[in-house]
Amino acid sequence: MRAEAVGDMHGKHDQQGLRRARLAIAVVFCVHGAVTGSFATRVPWIQEHAGLSAGQLGLALAFPAIGSVTAMPVAGAISHRFGSRTALRGLLSLWTLALVLPSLAPNLVTLCAALFVFGASSGMSDVVMNALGLETEARLDRSIISSLHGMWSTGALIGSAAGALAAHLGADARLHHLLAAVVLTTLGLIACQNVLDIRSAPEAEAPPRFALPPRSALLIGVVGFCAVFAEGASLDWSAVYLRDVLDTSPGVAAASTTAFALTMAVTRLSGDRVVDRFGAVRTVRTGGVFAAAGGLLVVVAPQPLVAMAGFGLLGLGVAVVVPLAFAAAGRSGPNPSQAIAGVATITYTSGLIAPSAIGAVADATSLVVSFGLVTLLACGLVVGAGVLRTGDRRAAANGAADGARAPGNERAGDPAAASDPLGPA
């Protein structure tokens, strides 16, 4: 009886620790998103301060994605060397403090350099926090990755709101970003104290500092590419579409972008229940149907309300795809960090090219044709959803149970024998 009581106490302590880790990683995602929202609202101030034309600003805004794609493969090596908690603490602080850099840049060259560092720190911290989110999900034995990305969207909305207020008050972006960096760095450091601390085994070989995405991540990345393309096109072009194609007022046009962002956030926050009930493949396939229907509504819309409904359906359809793509990558091979970095690289590339691709197609034809392309890519979610089967937590659990029952593999179900989710097996 006494041994049972001690075991129950240990179980309670473990569950309390997991709940703290769950809350901590949610705060980390929120802080990460708040940096993005804080930066985005002050881009006009940064453009004016650096004296940039629209074309020069467009060039500079490509550098965050370039920095992310370049630095993401390094995240696995950093986690392997220092452990996941220390790695996240350092990389998240680098990201929050890097918020100060763009507003200090006096010209195009320095702004490009600042945004490269800004994007590199974002990408590395992104990989580590997603890997930790997946490990927390596995230990809790329930889906949380969609709601974690919902917390990122919530943080972005909070950061945007604070930035909009600062801009409305005419605050200097250098002061605004310095204060935001101090607050967000403090919150991030506090949260990182309670995230899981995953460490590689002493005999484990360090992952390469730079590596191409593993083959297991490529098809998953293609599905993520389709979703992020639709997301980036809708966020950057929905207001322009309503203004230019449907001749709406600037206020109504801007409201369509806000509605799309809110739809994304709400869907992600509630998406885990849907994934737990229906599985990753059915959820993404159904989402693809909604997204394709939304794109079709945008293309044929005779009036603004119909187009806004279409953008809302697009947001609903693609919201949980990227979280589930990361989940599938994290369970697709022996080195989850490398696979997540590979998928993240592909999706970031999609986010980089989507706005310019929509513009190029629109210049050659029309915005209506551009969103016909978005609709076609949304159909790719329906076709490709099956590659996310490894992201289905229930399927993974069943597979692990089958492995534990296999002859000669008696220790497969032993947690002590589990591979490090942030390092090589």
Side-chain angles (χ1 to χ4, degrees), residues 28 76 101-102 134 158 203 214 238 287 315 350 363 412 414:
V28 166
L101 297 179
L134 288 170
I158 293 171
E203 68 276 8
S238 56
S350 179
D363 282 342
D414 183 0

Side-chain angles (χ1 to χ4, degrees), residues 214-255:
R215 284 180 295 178
S216 60
L218 292 179
L219 289 177
I220 297 170
V222 170
V223 174
F225 180 97
C226 293
V228 172
F229 192 99
E231 179 182 347
S234 299
L235 281 172
D236 290 343
W237 287 94
S238 56
V240 178
Y241 190 95
L242 264 73
R243 184 194 66 192
D244 292 355
V245 176
L246 298 174
D247 196 27
T248 61
S249 67
V252 174

Side-chain angles (χ1 to χ4, degrees), residues 4-424:
E4 268 185 40
V6 171
D8 289 343
M9 288 297 293
H10 280 307
K12 289 179 180 178
H13 289 156
D14 289 345
Q15 287 301 312
Q16 289 173 356
L18 282 175
R19 283 195 291 268
R20 286 195 299 270
R22 164 73 177 86
L23 176 61
I25 196 66
V27 173
V28 166
F29 271 76
C30 188
V31 166
H32 196 285
V35 177
T36 299
S38 299
F39 165 74
T41 52
R42 304 314 303 271
V43 169
W45 189 98
I46 292 169
Q47 178 185 12
E48 184 178 352
H49 176 69
L52 305 181
S53 67
Q56 289 174 323
L57 178 63
L59 172 64
L61 290 177
F63 275 80
I66 295 171
S68 292
V69 169
T70 303
M72 275 179 178
V74 183
I78 294 174
S79 292
H80 174 85
R81 180 170 181 178
F82 298 105
S84 60
R85 183 181 294 167
T86 300
L88 183 60
R89 185 184 290 124
L91 293 173
L92 185 65
S93 297
L94 181 62
W95 165 233
T96 53
L97 293 173
L99 175 61
V100 177
L101 297 179
S103 60
L104 298 176
N107 54 49
L108 176 62
V109 174
T110 54
L111 181 59
C112 289
L115 290 176
F116 182 89
V117 175
F118 186 68
S121 58
S122 172
M124 290 188 292
S125 55
D126 198 342
V127 169
V128 177
M129 72 186 194
N130 272 284
L132 271 174
L134 288 170
E135 178 62 16
T136 305
E137 176 180 88
R139 296 190 185 189
L140 286 169
D141 195 29
R142 60 186 176 88
S143 295
I144 65 168
I145 195 66
S146 176
S147 62
L148 290 180
H149 282 255
M151 288 300 295
W152 189 97
S153 297
T154 301
L157 286 170
I158 293 171
S160 310
L165 177 61
H168 177 71
L169 295 175
D172 189 306
R174 290 168 293 191
L175 177 60
H176 164 214
H177 284 166
L178 175 61
L179 292 175
V182 170
V183 171
L184 293 173
T185 301
T186 302
L187 288 174
L189 288 172
I190 293 171
C192 286
Q193 291 177 351
N194 289 314
V195 299
L196 296 177
D197 192 15
I198 311 300
R199 295 181 177 273
S200 300
E203 68 276 8
E205 181 182 353
R209 292 185 178 180
F210 289 95
L212 293 174
R215 284 180 295 178
S216 60
L218 292 179
L219 289 177
I220 297 170
V222 170
V223 174
F225 180 97
C226 293
V228 172
F229 192 99
E231 179 182 347
S234 299
L235 281 172
D236 290 343
W237 287 94
S238 56
V240 178
Y241 190 95
L242 264 73
R243 184 194 66 192
D244 292 355
V245 176
L246 298 174
D247 196 27
T248 61
S249 67
V252 174
S256 68
T257 304
T258 303
F260 178 85
L262 282 171
T263 303
M264 290 277 294
V266 171
T267 304
R268 283 178 169 174
L269 286 170
S270 58
D272 290 317
R273 295 179 182 178
V274 178
V275 174
D276 273 337
R277 180 170 182 180
F278 298 106
V281 175
R282 288 176 65 187
T283 299
V284 171
R285 188 162 286 147
T286 303
V289 172
F290 280 123
L296 186 61
L297 273 182
V298 170
V299 169
V300 303
Q303 57 181 341
L305 283 178
V306 176
M308 291 176 72
F311 283 118
L313 283 175
L314 272 167
L316 175 67
V318 305
V320 300
V321 177
V322 170
L324 291 178
F326 284 159
R331 299 188 180 107
S332 66
N335 192 337
S337 280
Q338 185 182 347
I340 291 171
V343 170
T345 298
I346 296 169
T347 57
Y348 268 65
T349 301
S350 179
L352 173 64
I353 69 172
S356 56
I358 292 295
V361 173
D363 282 342
T365 54
S366 69
L367 268 176
V368 174
V369 175
S370 293
F371 276 89
L373 173 61
V374 171
T375 304
L376 184 63
L377 288 175
C379 293
L381 300 177
V382 181
V383 176
V387 304
L388 302 184
R389 197 172 304 279
T390 53
D392 191 326
R393 185 183 54 79
R394 294 177 305 173
N398 291 338
D402 291 342
R405 289 190 292 268
N409 196 29
E410 292 80 1
R411 294 188 70 244
D414 183 0
S419 62
D420 176 6
L422 290 172

